[in-house]
Amino acid sequence: MKNKKIYLLFLFLISITLSSCSLRNDKKQDESNSFSDINSNLTINNKKEKKPKGEPYLVGVAPDDYNMDYDTSRLKSLNEKKSKYYPKDGVKGIYLNPYSVADPKKYNKIIDLIDSTKLNTVVIDIKDDWGNITCDFKSKDKDIKYATDKVIDANDFIRKMHNKGIYVIARITTFKDSVISEKHPNWGFKLNNGSLLVNGLGESFINPYMDDVRNYNLKIAELAAEAGFDEIQFDYVRFAEGFENISDDLDYSKGKWENLKMKDGDKRVDAITSFVKEAREMLQDYDTPCGIDVFGYSMQVGRADGIGQDFKEISNQTDVMSSMIYPSHWGFYSFDIEKPDLEPYELVKRYLKEEQKEFSEIEHKPQSRPWIQDFTASWIGSGNYMEYDKDAVEAQINAIYDSGQNEFLLWNASSKYTKGVDY
């Protein structure tokens, strides 16, 4: 009898427990529905957010608290970051050597060219090919002060350009830097004898693996964005040419990539790609587009891990991709053209066809804005080059338009451009 009483008591307690759980679940479901209804109308940055599976949002709790897959670096597209000076019919620009600005005759000639044509953009060095910072940004940073060689007044220059409706792009020579490597030899790559690695022109590269190096260039870009430049363009975003052939004989740090289980080539690619991502993310805070220069050859190779460039990976991380597709810079039979410099229209047309295909295969397609040539490449030898006159420059431009694109940049290192070109 005693056992029977205990058994009945046990059944009674189980019954109460199950009933209580059922009530709590019903109440929880009602509350859940209520929170869901409230939060379905909540938006962040005017965009509705996906709720994590299994749990509703709670009022006042940020999405990041749920460890959501929420890429804050892609909050704004290129169109949302364009300044009011971005040309409605597309960027049609020229490189302006900053030292030409100090020469009234050269400067006025360039301004007259822009005023009298459909050109609407200038690209000017704020960190030149040697590493000189050409604007005095009044920075307290000791390294930036060291490298500053005031050539132009950034605020005055931007104001004058904007008064004429000209879009202004600041070019930064990134990892080729003979100036700051003189102050910080450990930022460069050292040979066995302790000297810095230099190329055939006596120029040295600095180490993309190092945070100090990366942050130095990002600081310059940030100062340029604060000064009012419409866009920042990074050139030489790579390791030195042929780096993979000599890297084992060099003394340098691999930073946070040192102990990663990756091949050296993959480490270089990751270092370069991540820098481009960091630059774009930083500039997004200023609504300033990020552009990258690469040799057109990078697209054809695809993954040049020797210098750390993967064309698709970089393209996927930037807002604007400016491939240098100068006909003179291609080897014989590139794109099935025997002597590319002699066929500027075909070279540009065939390049862009392949580039468009590459861009179609990535998630975030950048704006294509190729660099084309307005110079004569006599150094490639008689019979292999031609005089780049009005017709040759126009041939490249026509190829761009015929490819369905409308943006381009013209390069001449001395800023001496051909007269009478129909842009």
Side-chain angles (χ1 to χ4, degrees), residues 3-51:
N3 290 338
K4 184 176 180 181
K5 288 181 179 180
I6 293 173
Y7 176 73
L8 290 173
L9 179 62
F10 178 73
L11 288 178
F12 177 73
L13 290 173
I14 289 176
S15 175
I16 291 175
T17 301
L18 289 174
S19 297
S20 176
C21 287
S22 177
L23 288 171
R24 282 200 301 269
N25 285 339
D26 289 342
K27 184 177 180 182
K28 183 177 181 182
Q29 182 63 40
D30 288 340
E31 290 176 347
S32 174
N33 289 337
S34 176
F35 278 126
S36 179
D37 290 340
I38 292 171
N39 283 283
S40 66
N41 294 319
L42 293 179
T43 59
I44 295 176
N45 292 329
N46 297 320
K47 295 182 180 178
K48 293 203 174 186
E49 300 302 325
K50 295 180 181 178
K51 295 186 288 293

Side-chain angles (χ1 to χ4, degrees), residues 370-385:
W371 279 102
I372 56 178
Q373 81 181 61
D374 191 351
F375 57 85
T376 297
S378 56
W379 57 85
I380 61 178
S382 178
N384 300 319
Y385 78 94

Side-chain angles (χ1 to χ4, degrees), residues 51-282:
K51 295 186 288 293
K53 293 181 180 179
E55 291 290 336
Y57 278 6
L58 297 179
V59 177
V61 179
D64 288 347
D65 294 329
Y66 288 100
N67 295 317
M68 291 174 59
D69 182 15
Y70 185 69
D71 187 357
T72 57
S73 75
R74 289 290 182 182
L75 286 175
K76 294 182 180 179
S77 67
L78 171 60
N79 284 334
E80 292 171 301
K81 289 186 278 190
K82 289 177 179 177
S83 78
K84 65 180 181 179
Y85 299 100
Y86 198 104
K88 293 181 180 179
D89 60 344
V91 166
K92 297 164 181 52
I94 56 174
Y95 166 71
L96 174 56
N97 189 308
Y99 300 93
S100 297
V101 177
D103 185 328
K105 186 176 180 180
K106 286 184 178 180
Y107 176 72
N108 290 332
K109 193 173 182 179
I110 291 168
I111 296 302
D112 288 343
L113 174 65
I114 296 173
D115 285 343
S116 61
T117 66
K118 288 192 175 183
L119 292 172
N120 52 35
T121 299
V122 295
V123 180
I124 189 164
D125 296 329
I126 61 165
K127 180 172 176 245
D128 68 18
D129 282 13
W130 287 94
N132 297 298
I133 299 173
T134 63
C135 309
D136 186 359
F137 291 115
K138 309 297 183 185
S139 172
K140 295 181 180 179
D141 185 281
K142 292 181 180 179
D143 294 322
I144 290 176
K145 280 184 175 182
Y146 175 84
T148 296
D149 179 18
K150 185 178 178 182
V151 180
I152 60 172
D153 182 322
N155 294 326
D156 181 62
F157 177 76
I158 294 169
R159 178 180 56 80
K160 287 178 178 177
M161 294 298 103
H162 282 171
N163 285 343
K164 288 182 168 290
I166 298 172
Y167 190 67
V168 191
I169 301 174
R171 175 177 177 260
I172 294 176
T173 303
T174 312
F175 297 123
K176 185 175 76 166
D177 195 323
S178 303
V179 172
I180 203 64
S181 60
E182 184 177 45
K183 182 177 187 232
H184 294 293
N186 61 310
W187 286 15
F189 301 95
K190 292 183 180 180
L191 300 170
N192 291 332
N193 61 8
S195 64
L196 282 174
L197 171 71
V198 297
N199 62 18
L201 297 175
E203 302 163 322
S204 57
F205 276 71
I206 47 180
N207 188 351
Y209 286 128
M210 294 182 64
D211 285 341
D212 285 341
V213 168
R214 297 162 74 94
N215 292 335
Y216 173 67
N217 283 289
L218 291 174
K219 283 179 188 175
I220 297 169
E222 187 173 25
L223 289 168
E226 290 175 344
F229 283 96
D230 296 303
E231 183 175 316
I232 311 300
Q233 180 187 93
F234 296 90
D235 200 353
Y236 287 90
V237 191
R238 60 177 176 82
F239 288 77
E241 52 270 26
F243 188 85
E244 69 278 17
N245 299 321
I246 54 176
S247 60
D248 290 343
D249 298 322
L250 299 174
D251 178 19
Y252 64 97
S253 168
K254 291 182 182 176
K256 55 192 172 190
W257 286 269
E258 187 73 50
N259 297 318
L260 292 182
K261 294 181 179 180
M262 301 167 65
K263 294 180 180 179
D264 283 347
D266 293 337
K267 289 181 180 181
R268 290 191 289 268
V269 167
D270 191 62
I272 296 301
T273 304
S274 64
F275 174 81
V276 175
K277 183 175 186 288
E278 286 177 35
R280 176 179 49 75
E281 289 175 343
M282 182 272 291

Side-chain angles (χ1 to χ4, degrees), residues 315-316 318-319 356 359-360 362-368:
S315 297
N316 194 51
T318 191
D319 295 311
Q356 289 170 357
F359 286 168
S360 72
I362 62 177
E363 184 179 3
H364 301 289
K365 178 182 176 181
Q367 170 65 51
S368 173

Side-chain angles (χ1 to χ4, degrees), residues 359-414:
F359 286 168
S360 72
E361 297 172 356
I362 62 177
E363 184 179 3
H364 301 289
K365 178 182 176 181
Q367 170 65 51
S368 173
R369 188 189 298 153
W371 279 102
I372 56 178
Q373 81 181 61
D374 191 351
F375 57 85
T376 297
S378 56
W379 57 85
I380 61 178
S382 178
N384 300 319
Y385 78 94
M386 68 179 186
E387 190 76 23
Y388 265 61
D389 56 10
K390 173 181 178 294
D391 291 340
V393 175
E394 286 183 357
Q396 297 171 87
I397 295 170
N398 289 336
I400 292 170
Y401 288 132
D402 290 349
S403 298
Q405 299 185 193
N406 68 345
E407 298 205 359
F408 58 84
L409 299 171
L410 281 166
W411 178 268
N412 181 291
S414 301

